[in-house]
Structure formats: structure tokens, C-alpha cells
Coordinates of all heavy atoms in Angstrom, one line a residue:
M1 N 0.9 -5.9 1.7 CA 0.0 -4.9 2.4 C -0.6 -5.6 3.6 O -1.3 -6.6 3.4 CB -0.9 -4.5 1.3 CG -2.0 -3.6 1.8 SD -2.4 -2.4 0.5 CE -4.1 -2.3 0.7
T2 N -0.4 -5.1 4.8 CA -1.0 -5.5 5.9 C -2.3 -4.9 6.3 O -2.3 -3.7 6.4 CB 0.0 -5.4 7.1 OG1 1.3 -6.0 6.8 CG2 -0.6 -6.2 8.3
K3 N -3.3 -5.6 6.4 CA -4.6 -5.1 6.8 C -4.6 -5.0 8.3 O -4.1 -6.0 8.9 CB -5.7 -5.9 6.2 CG -7.0 -5.1 6.4 CD -8.2 -5.9 5.6 CE -9.5 -5.2 6.0 NZ -10.6 -5.9 5.5
F4 N -5.2 -4.0 8.9 CA -5.1 -4.0 10.3 C -6.5 -3.3 10.8 O -7.1 -2.5 10.1 CB -3.9 -3.3 10.8 CG -4.0 -1.8 10.7 CD1 -3.8 -1.0 11.7 CD2 -4.2 -1.1 9.4 CE1 -3.8 0.4 11.7 CE2 -4.2 0.2 9.3 CZ -4.0 1.0 10.5
D5 N -6.8 -3.5 12.1 CA -7.9 -2.8 12.7 C -7.7 -1.3 12.7 O -6.5 -0.8 13.0 CB -7.9 -3.4 14.1 CG -9.2 -3.0 14.8 OD1 -9.2 -1.9 15.3 OD2 -10.1 -3.7 14.8
D6 N -8.7 -0.6 12.6 CA -8.6 0.9 12.6 C -8.0 1.4 13.9 O -7.5 2.6 13.9 CB -9.9 1.6 12.3 CG -10.3 1.3 10.8 OD1 -9.5 0.8 10.1 OD2 -11.5 1.7 10.5
N7 N -8.1 0.7 14.9 CA -7.7 1.2 16.3 C -6.2 0.9 16.5 O -5.7 1.2 17.6 CB -8.6 0.5 17.3 CG -10.1 1.0 17.2 OD1 -10.3 2.2 16.9 ND2 -11.0 0.1 17.4
T8 N -5.7 0.1 15.6 CA -4.2 -0.2 15.8 C -3.4 0.9 16.0 O -3.4 1.8 15.1 CB -3.7 -1.2 14.7 OG1 -4.6 -2.3 14.5 CG2 -2.3 -1.6 14.9
V9 N -2.6 1.0 17.0 CA -1.7 2.1 17.2 C -0.3 1.5 17.3 O 0.6 2.3 17.5 CB -2.1 2.9 18.4 CG1 -3.4 3.8 18.2 CG2 -2.1 2.1 19.6
Q10 N -0.1 0.2 17.2 CA 1.2 -0.4 17.4 C 1.5 -1.1 16.1 O 0.7 -1.7 15.3 CB 1.2 -1.4 18.5 CG 1.3 -0.8 19.8 CD 1.7 -1.8 20.9 OE1 1.2 -2.9 20.9 NE2 2.4 -1.4 21.9
C11 N 2.8 -1.2 15.7 CA 3.3 -1.9 14.6 C 3.0 -3.4 14.8 O 3.3 -3.9 15.8 CB 4.8 -1.7 14.4 SG 5.5 -2.7 13.1
L12 N 2.5 -4.0 13.9 CA 2.1 -5.5 14.0 C 3.3 -6.3 13.8 O 3.3 -7.6 14.3 CB 1.1 -5.9 12.8 CG -0.2 -5.2 12.9 CD1 -1.1 -5.6 11.6 CD2 -0.9 -5.5 14.1
V13 N 4.4 -5.8 13.4 CA 5.6 -6.6 13.1 C 6.5 -6.5 14.4 O 6.9 -7.5 15.0 CB 6.4 -6.2 11.9 CG1 7.8 -6.9 11.8 CG2 5.6 -6.5 10.6
C14 N 6.8 -5.3 14.8 CA 7.8 -5.1 15.9 C 7.2 -4.7 17.3 O 7.8 -4.6 18.3 CB 9.0 -4.3 15.5 SG 8.5 -2.5 15.4
G15 N 5.9 -4.3 17.2 CA 5.2 -3.8 18.4 C 5.5 -2.3 18.8 O 5.0 -1.9 19.7
S16 N 6.3 -1.7 17.9 CA 6.6 -0.3 18.2 C 5.4 0.7 18.1 O 4.5 0.3 17.3 CB 7.7 0.3 17.3 OG 7.8 1.6 17.4
S17 N 5.3 1.6 18.9 CA 4.1 2.5 18.8 C 4.5 3.8 18.0 O 3.8 4.8 18.0 CB 3.5 2.9 20.1 OG 4.5 3.3 21.0
R18 N 5.7 3.8 17.6 CA 6.3 5.0 16.9 C 5.9 4.9 15.5 O 6.7 4.6 14.5 CB 7.8 5.1 17.0 CG 8.2 5.3 18.5 CD 9.6 5.0 18.7 NE 10.5 5.9 17.9 CZ 11.6 5.5 17.2 NH1 12.0 4.3 17.2 NH2 12.3 6.4 16.4
L19 N 4.5 5.3 15.2 CA 4.2 5.2 13.8 C 4.0 6.6 13.3 O 3.6 7.6 14.0 CB 2.8 4.5 13.7 CG 2.7 3.1 14.3 CD1 1.3 2.6 14.1 CD2 3.8 2.2 13.6
E20 N 4.2 6.8 12.1 CA 4.1 8.2 11.5 C 3.2 8.1 10.2 O 3.2 7.1 9.5 CB 5.4 8.7 11.0 CG 6.2 7.9 10.0 CD 7.6 8.5 9.6 OE1 7.9 9.5 10.2 OE2 8.3 7.8 8.9
E21 N 2.5 9.2 9.9 CA 1.6 9.2 8.8 C 2.5 9.4 7.5 O 3.5 10.0 7.6 CB 0.7 10.5 8.9 CG -0.1 10.4 10.1 CD -1.3 9.4 10.0 OE1 -1.8 9.2 8.9 OE2 -1.6 9.0 11.1
A22 N 2.2 8.8 6.4 CA 3.0 8.7 5.3 C 2.1 8.4 4.0 O 1.0 7.9 4.2 CB 4.1 7.7 5.3
Y23 N 2.5 8.9 2.9 CA 1.9 8.6 1.7 C 2.8 7.8 0.9 O 3.9 8.2 0.7 CB 1.4 9.9 0.9 CG 0.3 10.7 1.5 CD1 0.4 11.6 2.6 CD2 -1.0 10.4 1.1 CE1 -0.7 12.1 3.1 CE2 -2.1 10.8 1.7 CZ -1.9 11.8 2.7 OH -3.0 12.4 3.3
V24 N 2.3 6.6 0.5 CA 3.3 5.7 -0.2 C 2.8 5.3 -1.6 O 1.5 5.4 -1.9 CB 3.4 4.4 0.6 CG1 4.1 4.8 2.0 CG2 2.2 3.7 0.9
D25 N 3.6 4.7 -2.4 CA 3.4 4.3 -3.8 C 3.5 2.7 -3.6 O 4.4 2.2 -3.1 CB 4.3 4.7 -4.9 CG 4.2 6.2 -4.9 OD1 3.2 6.8 -4.4 OD2 5.1 6.8 -5.5
E26 N 2.4 2.0 -4.1 CA 2.5 0.6 -4.0 C 2.2 -0.1 -5.4 O 1.3 0.4 -6.1 CB 1.5 0.1 -2.9 CG 2.0 0.2 -1.5 CD 3.0 -0.8 -1.0 OE1 2.7 -2.0 -1.1 OE2 4.0 -0.4 -0.5
V27 N 2.9 -1.2 -5.7 CA 2.5 -2.0 -6.9 C 1.7 -3.1 -6.6 O 2.0 -3.9 -5.6 CB 3.8 -2.4 -7.7 CG1 3.4 -3.4 -8.7 CG2 4.6 -1.1 -8.2
F28 N 0.6 -3.3 -7.2 CA -0.3 -4.4 -6.9 C -0.3 -5.3 -8.2 O -0.2 -4.9 -9.3 CB -1.6 -3.9 -6.6 CG -1.8 -3.1 -5.4 CD1 -1.7 -1.7 -5.4 CD2 -2.0 -3.7 -4.1 CE1 -1.7 -0.9 -4.3 CE2 -2.0 -2.9 -2.9 CZ -1.9 -1.6 -3.0
N29 N -0.6 -6.6 -8.0 CA -0.7 -7.5 -9.0 C -2.2 -7.8 -9.2 O -2.8 -8.5 -8.2 CB 0.1 -8.8 -8.8 CG 0.1 -9.8 -9.9 OD1 -0.8 -9.8 -10.7 ND2 1.2 -10.5 -10.1
V30 N -2.8 -7.3 -10.3 CA -4.3 -7.6 -10.5 C -4.5 -8.5 -11.7 O -4.2 -8.1 -12.9 CB -5.0 -6.2 -10.8 CG1 -6.5 -6.6 -10.9 CG2 -4.7 -5.3 -9.7
D31 N -4.8 -9.7 -11.4 CA -5.0 -10.7 -12.5 C -3.8 -10.8 -13.4 O -3.9 -10.7 -14.7 CB -6.3 -10.3 -13.3 CG -7.5 -10.4 -12.5 OD1 -7.5 -11.1 -11.5 OD2 -8.5 -9.6 -12.8
G32 N -2.6 -10.7 -12.8 CA -1.3 -10.9 -13.7 C -0.9 -9.6 -14.2 O 0.2 -9.5 -14.9
R33 N -1.6 -8.5 -14.0 CA -1.2 -7.2 -14.5 C -0.8 -6.3 -13.3 O -1.5 -6.3 -12.3 CB -2.5 -6.5 -15.2 CG -2.1 -5.2 -16.0 CD -3.3 -4.8 -16.8 NE -4.5 -4.6 -15.8 CZ -5.0 -3.4 -15.4 NH1 -4.3 -2.3 -15.9 NH2 -6.0 -3.3 -14.6
H34 N 0.4 -5.7 -13.4 CA 0.9 -4.9 -12.3 C 0.5 -3.5 -12.5 O 0.5 -2.9 -13.5 CB 2.5 -5.0 -12.4 CG 3.0 -6.3 -11.8 ND1 3.2 -7.3 -12.7 CD2 3.3 -6.8 -10.6 CE1 3.6 -8.4 -12.0 NE2 3.7 -8.1 -10.7
V35 N 0.0 -3.1 -11.5 CA -0.5 -1.6 -11.4 C 0.1 -0.9 -10.3 O 0.4 -1.5 -9.2 CB -2.0 -1.6 -11.4 CG1 -2.7 -2.1 -12.6 CG2 -2.6 -2.2 -10.2
L36 N 0.3 0.4 -10.5 CA 1.0 1.1 -9.5 C -0.1 2.2 -9.0 O -0.8 2.9 -9.7 CB 2.1 2.0 -10.1 CG 2.9 3.1 -9.2 CD1 3.6 2.4 -8.1 CD2 3.8 4.0 -10.0
V37 N -0.3 2.2 -7.6 CA -1.2 3.1 -7.0 C -0.3 4.2 -6.3 O 0.4 3.7 -5.4 CB -2.2 2.5 -6.1 CG1 -3.2 3.5 -5.4 CG2 -3.0 1.5 -6.9
E38 N -0.5 5.4 -6.5 CA 0.4 6.4 -5.8 C -0.4 7.1 -4.7 O -1.7 7.2 -4.7 CB 0.8 7.5 -6.9 CG 1.6 7.0 -8.0 CD 2.1 8.0 -8.9 OE1 1.2 8.8 -9.4 OE2 3.3 8.1 -9.2
H39 N 0.3 7.7 -3.7 CA -0.3 8.6 -2.7 C -1.3 7.9 -1.9 O -2.3 8.4 -1.5 CB -0.9 9.9 -3.3 CG 0.2 10.6 -4.2 ND1 -0.2 11.0 -5.4 CD2 1.4 10.9 -4.0 CE1 0.9 11.6 -6.1 NE2 1.8 11.6 -5.1
I40 N -0.9 6.7 -1.4 CA -1.8 5.9 -0.6 C -1.5 6.4 0.9 O -0.4 6.2 1.3 CB -1.6 4.3 -0.7 CG1 -1.6 3.9 -2.2 CG2 -2.6 3.6 0.2 CD1 -1.3 2.5 -2.4
P41 N -2.5 6.8 1.6 CA -2.3 7.2 3.0 C -2.0 5.9 3.8 O -2.7 4.9 3.7 CB -3.6 7.8 3.4 CG -4.6 7.4 2.4 CD -4.0 7.0 1.1
A42 N -1.0 6.0 4.6 CA -0.5 4.8 5.4 C 0.1 5.3 6.6 O 0.3 6.5 6.9 CB 0.5 4.0 4.6
R43 N 0.3 4.3 7.5 CA 1.1 4.6 8.7 C 2.4 3.8 8.6 O 2.4 2.5 8.3 CB 0.4 4.2 10.0 CG -0.5 5.4 10.6 CD -1.3 5.0 11.6 NE -2.8 4.8 11.2 CZ -3.7 4.5 12.0 NH1 -3.5 4.2 13.3 NH2 -4.9 4.3 11.6
R44 N 3.6 4.4 8.7 CA 4.8 3.7 8.6 C 5.5 3.6 10.0 O 5.5 4.5 10.7 CB 5.7 4.5 7.7 CG 7.1 3.8 7.5 CD 8.0 4.7 6.7 NE 7.8 4.9 5.3 CZ 7.6 6.1 4.8 NH1 7.8 7.2 5.5 NH2 7.3 6.1 3.5
C45 N 6.0 2.4 10.3 CA 6.6 2.2 11.6 C 8.1 2.8 11.4 O 8.8 2.6 10.5 CB 6.8 0.8 11.8 SG 7.7 0.4 13.3
R46 N 8.4 3.8 12.4 CA 9.7 4.4 12.4 C 10.8 3.4 12.8 O 12.1 3.6 12.5 CB 9.7 5.5 13.4 CG 8.9 6.7 13.1 CD 8.9 7.7 14.2 NE 7.9 8.7 13.9 CZ 8.3 10.0 13.5 NH1 9.5 10.3 13.2 NH2 7.4 10.9 13.3
Q47 N 10.4 2.3 13.4 CA 11.5 1.4 13.9 C 11.8 0.3 12.7 O 13.0 0.1 12.5 CB 11.0 0.6 15.1 CG 12.1 -0.3 15.7 CD 11.7 -0.6 17.2 OE1 11.7 0.4 18.0 NE2 11.4 -1.8 17.5
C48 N 10.8 -0.3 12.1 CA 11.1 -1.3 11.2 C 10.7 -1.0 9.8 O 10.9 -1.7 8.8 CB 10.6 -2.7 11.7 SG 8.8 -2.9 11.4
G49 N 9.9 0.1 9.6 CA 9.4 0.5 8.2 C 8.3 -0.2 7.7 O 7.8 0.0 6.6
E50 N 7.6 -1.1 8.6 CA 6.3 -1.7 8.1 C 5.3 -0.8 7.9 O 5.1 0.2 8.6 CB 5.9 -2.7 9.2 CG 4.6 -3.4 9.0 CD 4.6 -4.5 7.9 OE1 5.8 -4.8 7.5 OE2 3.5 -5.0 7.6
L51 N 4.6 -0.9 6.7 CA 3.5 -0.1 6.4 C 2.1 -0.7 6.8 O 1.9 -1.8 6.6 CB 3.4 0.2 4.9 CG 4.7 0.9 4.3 CD1 4.6 1.0 2.8 CD2 4.6 2.4 4.9
T52 N 1.2 0.1 7.3 CA -0.1 -0.4 7.5 C -1.1 0.5 7.0 O -0.9 1.8 6.9 CB -0.4 -0.5 9.1 OG1 0.0 0.7 9.8 CG2 0.4 -1.7 9.7
F53 N -2.2 0.0 6.4 CA -3.3 0.7 5.8 C -4.5 0.5 6.6 O -4.8 -0.7 7.0 CB -3.5 0.3 4.4 CG -2.1 0.3 3.6 CD1 -1.3 -0.7 3.5 CD2 -1.9 1.5 2.9 CE1 -0.2 -0.6 2.8 CE2 -0.7 1.6 2.1 CZ 0.2 0.5 2.1
D54 N -5.4 1.5 6.8 CA -6.6 1.3 7.5 C -7.6 0.6 6.5 O -7.4 0.5 5.4 CB -7.2 2.5 8.2 CG -7.6 3.6 7.2 OD1 -7.9 3.2 6.0 OD2 -7.6 4.7 7.6
S55 N -8.7 0.0 7.2 CA -9.6 -0.8 6.3 C -10.3 0.1 5.3 O -10.6 -0.5 4.2 CB -10.6 -1.5 7.3 OG -11.3 -0.5 8.0
E56 N -10.5 1.3 5.5 CA -11.1 2.2 4.5 C -10.2 2.4 3.3 O -10.6 2.3 2.2 CB -11.5 3.6 5.1 CG -12.3 4.5 4.1 CD -12.4 5.9 4.6 OE1 -12.3 6.2 5.8 OE2 -12.4 6.8 3.7
T57 N -9.0 2.6 3.5 CA -8.0 2.7 2.5 C -7.9 1.4 1.7 O -7.8 1.5 0.4 CB -6.7 3.1 3.1 OG1 -6.8 4.4 3.7 CG2 -5.6 3.3 2.0
T58 N -7.8 0.3 2.4 CA -7.7 -1.0 1.7 C -8.9 -1.2 0.8 O -8.8 -1.7 -0.4 CB -7.8 -2.1 2.8 OG1 -6.7 -1.8 3.7 CG2 -7.5 -3.5 2.2
E59 N -10.1 -0.8 1.2 CA -11.3 -1.0 0.5 C -11.3 -0.1 -0.8 O -11.7 -0.4 -1.9 CB -12.5 -0.7 1.3 CG -13.8 -0.9 0.7 CD -14.1 -2.4 0.1 OE1 -13.3 -3.2 0.5 OE2 -15.0 -2.6 -0.5
R60 N -10.8 1.2 -0.6 CA -10.8 2.1 -1.6 C -9.9 1.7 -2.8 O -10.1 1.9 -3.9 CB -10.4 3.6 -1.1 CG -11.4 4.3 -0.5 CD -10.8 5.7 0.0 NE -10.4 6.5 -1.1 CZ -9.6 7.5 -1.1 NH1 -9.1 7.9 0.2 NH2 -9.2 8.2 -2.2
V61 N -8.7 1.1 -2.4 CA -7.8 0.6 -3.4 C -8.3 -0.6 -4.0 O -8.2 -0.7 -5.2 CB -6.4 0.2 -2.6 CG1 -5.5 -0.5 -3.6 CG2 -5.7 1.5 -2.1
R62 N -9.0 -1.5 -3.3 CA -9.5 -2.6 -4.0 C -10.6 -2.3 -5.0 O -10.7 -2.8 -6.1 CB -10.2 -3.5 -2.8 CG -10.5 -4.9 -3.3 CD -11.3 -5.7 -2.2 NE -12.6 -5.1 -2.0 CZ -13.7 -5.3 -2.9 NH1 -13.6 -6.1 -3.9 NH2 -14.9 -4.8 -2.6
L63 N -11.5 -1.3 -4.6 CA -12.5 -0.9 -5.5 C -11.9 -0.3 -6.7 O -12.3 -0.5 -7.9 CB -13.4 0.1 -4.9 CG -14.5 -0.5 -3.8 CD1 -15.2 0.6 -3.1 CD2 -15.4 -1.4 -4.5
L64 N -10.9 0.6 -6.6 CA -10.2 1.3 -7.6 C -9.6 0.3 -8.6 O -9.8 0.4 -9.8 CB -9.1 2.2 -7.1 CG -8.4 3.2 -7.9 CD1 -9.4 4.2 -8.5 CD2 -7.2 3.7 -7.3
L65 N -9.1 -0.7 -8.1 CA -8.4 -1.7 -9.0 C -9.3 -2.6 -9.7 O -9.0 -3.2 -10.7 CB -7.3 -2.5 -8.2 CG -6.2 -1.7 -7.6 CD1 -5.2 -2.6 -6.9 CD2 -5.5 -0.9 -8.7
H66 N -10.5 -2.9 -9.1 CA -11.4 -4.0 -9.6 C -12.5 -3.4 -10.4 O -13.3 -4.2 -10.9 CB -11.8 -4.9 -8.6 CG -10.7 -5.8 -8.1 ND1 -9.8 -5.4 -7.1 CD2 -10.1 -6.9 -8.5 CE1 -8.9 -6.4 -6.9 NE2 -9.0 -7.3 -7.8
E67 N -12.7 -2.1 -10.3 CA -13.8 -1.5 -11.1 C -13.3 -0.9 -12.3 O -13.9 0.2 -12.8 CB -14.6 -0.6 -10.2 CG -15.3 -1.3 -9.0 CD -16.3 -0.4 -8.4 OE1 -16.2 0.7 -8.4 OE2 -17.2 -1.0 -7.7
S68 N -12.4 -1.4 -12.9 CA -11.7 -1.0 -14.2 C -11.7 0.5 -14.3 O -12.2 1.1 -15.3 CB -12.3 -1.6 -15.4 OG -13.8 -1.4 -15.4
A69 N -11.3 1.2 -13.3 CA -11.2 2.7 -13.3 C -10.2 3.1 -14.4 O -9.2 2.3 -14.6 CB -10.8 3.2 -12.0
T70 N -10.3 4.2 -14.9 CA -9.3 4.7 -15.9 C -8.1 5.3 -15.1 O -8.2 6.1 -14.2 CB -9.9 5.9 -16.7 OG1 -11.1 5.4 -17.3 CG2 -8.9 6.3 -17.7
P71 N -6.9 4.7 -15.5 CA -5.6 5.1 -14.8 C -5.4 6.6 -15.0 O -5.8 7.1 -16.2 CB -4.6 4.2 -15.4 CG -5.3 3.1 -16.1 CD -6.7 3.7 -16.4
T72 N -4.7 7.3 -14.2 CA -4.3 8.7 -14.4 C -3.3 8.8 -15.5 O -3.3 9.7 -16.3 CB -3.6 9.3 -13.0 OG1 -4.6 9.0 -12.0 CG2 -3.4 10.7 -13.2
R73 N -2.4 7.8 -15.5 CA -1.4 7.8 -16.6 C -0.8 6.4 -16.5 O -1.0 5.6 -15.7 CB -0.4 8.8 -16.4 CG 0.5 8.7 -15.2 CD 1.6 9.8 -15.2 NE 2.6 9.6 -14.1 CZ 2.4 9.7 -12.8 NH1 1.3 10.0 -12.4 NH2 3.4 9.4 -11.9
S74 N 0.0 6.1 -17.6 CA 0.6 4.7 -17.7 C 2.2 5.0 -17.7 O 2.7 5.9 -18.3 CB 0.2 4.0 -18.9 OG -1.0 3.6 -18.8
V75 N 2.9 4.1 -17.1 CA 4.4 4.2 -17.0 C 4.9 2.9 -17.4 O 4.3 1.8 -17.3 CB 5.0 4.7 -15.7 CG1 4.4 6.0 -15.3 CG2 4.5 3.6 -14.6
T76 N 6.2 2.9 -17.9 CA 6.9 1.7 -18.2 C 7.6 1.2 -16.9 O 8.1 2.0 -16.1 CB 8.0 1.8 -19.2 OG1 7.3 2.3 -20.4 CG2 8.7 0.5 -19.6
L77 N 7.3 -0.1 -16.6 CA 7.8 -0.6 -15.3 C 8.9 -1.6 -15.6 O 8.8 -2.6 -16.3 CB 6.7 -1.3 -14.6 CG 6.9 -1.8 -13.1 CD1 7.2 -0.6 -12.2 CD2 5.6 -2.5 -12.7
D78 N 10.1 -1.4 -15.0 CA 11.3 -2.2 -15.0 C 11.1 -3.3 -13.9 O 10.9 -2.9 -12.8 CB 12.6 -1.5 -14.9 CG 12.9 -0.7 -16.1 OD1 12.5 -1.1 -17.2 OD2 13.5 0.4 -16.0
V79 N 11.3 -4.5 -14.2 CA 11.0 -5.6 -13.3 C 12.4 -6.4 -13.0 O 13.0 -6.8 -14.0 CB 10.0 -6.5 -13.7 CG1 9.8 -7.7 -12.7 CG2 8.6 -5.8 -14.0
F80 N 12.7 -6.5 -11.8 CA 13.9 -7.3 -11.4 C 13.4 -8.4 -10.7 O 12.6 -8.3 -9.7 CB 14.9 -6.4 -10.6 CG 15.5 -5.3 -11.4 CD1 14.9 -4.1 -11.3 CD2 16.7 -5.5 -12.1 CE1 15.4 -3.0 -12.0 CE2 17.2 -4.4 -12.8 CZ 16.7 -3.2 -12.7
D81 N 13.9 -9.7 -11.0 CA 13.5 -10.9 -10.3 C 14.7 -11.5 -9.5 O 15.6 -12.0 -10.2 CB 12.9 -11.8 -11.4 CG 12.3 -13.1 -10.7 OD1 12.5 -13.3 -9.4 OD2 11.6 -13.8 -11.4
L82 N 14.6 -11.6 -8.3 CA 15.8 -12.0 -7.6 C 15.9 -13.6 -7.8 O 17.0 -14.1 -7.6 CB 15.6 -11.9 -6.0 CG 16.2 -10.6 -5.4 CD1 16.1 -10.6 -3.9 CD2 17.8 -10.6 -5.8
A83 N 14.9 -14.2 -8.1 CA 14.9 -15.7 -8.4 C 15.8 -16.0 -9.6 O 16.3 -17.1 -9.8 CB 13.5 -16.3 -8.5
T84 N 15.9 -15.0 -10.5 CA 16.6 -15.3 -11.8 C 17.9 -14.4 -11.9 O 18.7 -14.6 -12.9 CB 15.7 -15.0 -13.0 OG1 15.4 -13.6 -13.0 CG2 14.6 -15.8 -13.0
A85 N 18.2 -13.7 -10.8 CA 19.4 -12.8 -10.8 C 20.7 -13.7 -10.5 O 20.6 -14.6 -9.8 CB 19.2 -11.7 -9.7
Ligands
LIG101 ZN1 7.8 -2.0 13.3

């Protein structure tokens, strides 16, 4: 997850300004526990696919994950590890 300045209008990876609004699902590792956060507002680069989140969103996710909020639901997560594949 790339944190960026709210005024950023260019992709930090490839420099493209072709960003689109998107809602994404991201898995975070919180103290060794993986949690999935859905419908995170983001900007996605149409050129390279890099996702950027504004600082308010980053803070909201951080608070959500660290204030032991009650999850909406739980799912079983299949994990694949390229290091052992
Ligand atoms: Zn890009």
C-alpha cells in the first residue's frame, strides 16, 4: 500500500496521470493475523495498475485494524507461498 500526498495526480510508479477511481479489497497483516478489508476507495493507475490511497483512507484503515473493531464477517483464506512452491 503506497501512501501518497492528497494532491498527487500522477502514478508514483510510472508517472502516468491516467488514474481512475476504484474500490479495492486488500489483505493486511496485523500482528501476524491476516485481515481482509473490502471496498477501500483508491486510485488505480490505468497504465501499470499501481494503487494509491489518500492519507484519510490510510488513517481510517489503520484505526479500523488497530482498535479491535468487530469484523463484518469472517472468511477462510487460502494462502499460497511462492517461496515454497
Ligand atoms: Zn502507473
Side-chain angles (χ1 to χ4, degrees):
M1 175 149 144
T2 306
K3 191 174 175 185
F4 76 123
D5 188 283
D6 290 354
N7 298 319
T8 300
V9 291
Q10 284 194 323
C11 175
L12 296 176
V13 173
C14 72
S16 169
S17 57
R18 294 167 59 222
L19 305 182
E20 61 182 357
E21 302 289 325
Y23 285 87
V24 300
D25 301 340
E26 284 279 307
V27 173
F28 297 91
N29 188 329
V30 182
D31 300 329
R33 187 172 60 102
H34 288 87
V35 297
L36 174 69
V37 181
E38 297 180 310
H39 306 128
I40 308 171
R43 271 174 257 180
R44 181 192 289 126
C45 176
R46 289 173 189 263
Q47 188 158 294
C48 75
E50 175 72 6
L51 293 170
T52 50
F53 304 90
D54 66 27
S55 55
E56 184 193 332
T57 300
T58 305
E59 183 64 8
R60 280 181 63 201
V61 169
R62 194 187 68 78
L63 287 174
L64 187 66
L65 297 183
H66 289 91
E67 293 195 339
S68 55
T70 305
T72 307
R73 66 183 191 279
S74 293
V75 296
T76 302
L77 188 63
D78 292 326
V79 179
F80 295 89
D81 186 350
L82 264 188
T84 59

